Amino acid sequence: MRLRCPACGYENLTGAEVCDNCGGDLAGSNIPIQAPAFQGRLLGEDLDELGAAAPIIVDGETTLDVVITRMHESEADCVLVVAGERLVGIFTDRDAVVKVAGARLAAIRVRDVMTPDPVVLRHDDPIAIAIHKMAVGGFRHIPIVEGGRPTGVVTARDVFHHLATTLDQA
């Protein structure tokens, strides 16, 4: 038997206290609660509504001088690190400042300083799930994956811009 998360619809094992997908509280989820009207209209929208840009993808063997140059040229805040086509890590502008500032970049491989096994989203996850994962984990970037392959990156900037624009139009 499975327990459906009221926030994201993910089917969890019965007895789970938090959702394995979004981290939402499952206690009392069998008690019907009416969602606020704006939930479905705004926070319930899929991540596809954000129009996330295609990610910059690099192999784990790529050196940081190349990675940071690509980030700078494309004005991106992060790169996704893959092994084959599967996502294995993320390297952000924050990693560059905290982990490698002052180091000889040509001597460091991105796999050695990336954040491995990052928290991910699916393109059809609701925006509310992205906000929750960002808030709980303290993330500003979360990869979007389909079948383990990265297809996009949701940024806090994308989410807040979308919310501000949508609320401004209301």
Side-chain angles (χ1 to χ4, degrees), residues 32-165:
I33 300 172
Q34 184 171 350
F38 73 90
Q39 179 79 16
R41 180 175 60 83
L42 184 61
L43 297 178
E45 293 177 335
D46 290 346
L47 293 176
D48 288 341
E49 297 296 320
L50 298 178
I56 297 175
I57 297 175
V58 298
D59 182 84
E61 294 298 314
T62 310
T63 58
L64 287 184
D65 57 337
V66 173
V67 169
I68 292 174
T69 298
R70 288 190 61 193
M71 289 171 68
H72 179 72
E73 289 173 352
S74 62
E75 298 181 3
D77 296 337
C78 71
V79 297
L80 302 182
V81 184
V82 297
E85 293 187 349
R86 300 199 64 81
L87 179 69
V88 295
I90 185 170
F91 180 80
T92 68
D93 53 355
R94 188 182 318 176
D95 294 326
V97 171
V98 173
K99 296 178 181 178
V100 298
R104 206 174 122 241
L105 300 179
I108 303 172
R109 306 261 181 242
V110 70
R111 67 177 157 73
D112 296 328
V113 291
M114 70 182 187
T115 300
D117 194 26
V119 170
V120 298
L121 294 162
R122 295 181 318 258
H123 76 93
D124 58 350
D125 280 336
I127 292 172
I129 298 300
I131 293 170
H132 176 76
K133 287 184 176 186
M134 286 177 175
V136 169
F139 309 126
R140 295 181 301 140
H141 309 86
I142 300 181
I144 300 172
V145 297
E146 292 302 320
R149 294 178 43 228
T151 60
V153 176
V154 173
T155 68
R157 184 180 315 140
D158 294 338
V159 171
F160 292 122
H161 181 265
H162 177 75
L163 292 176
T165 302

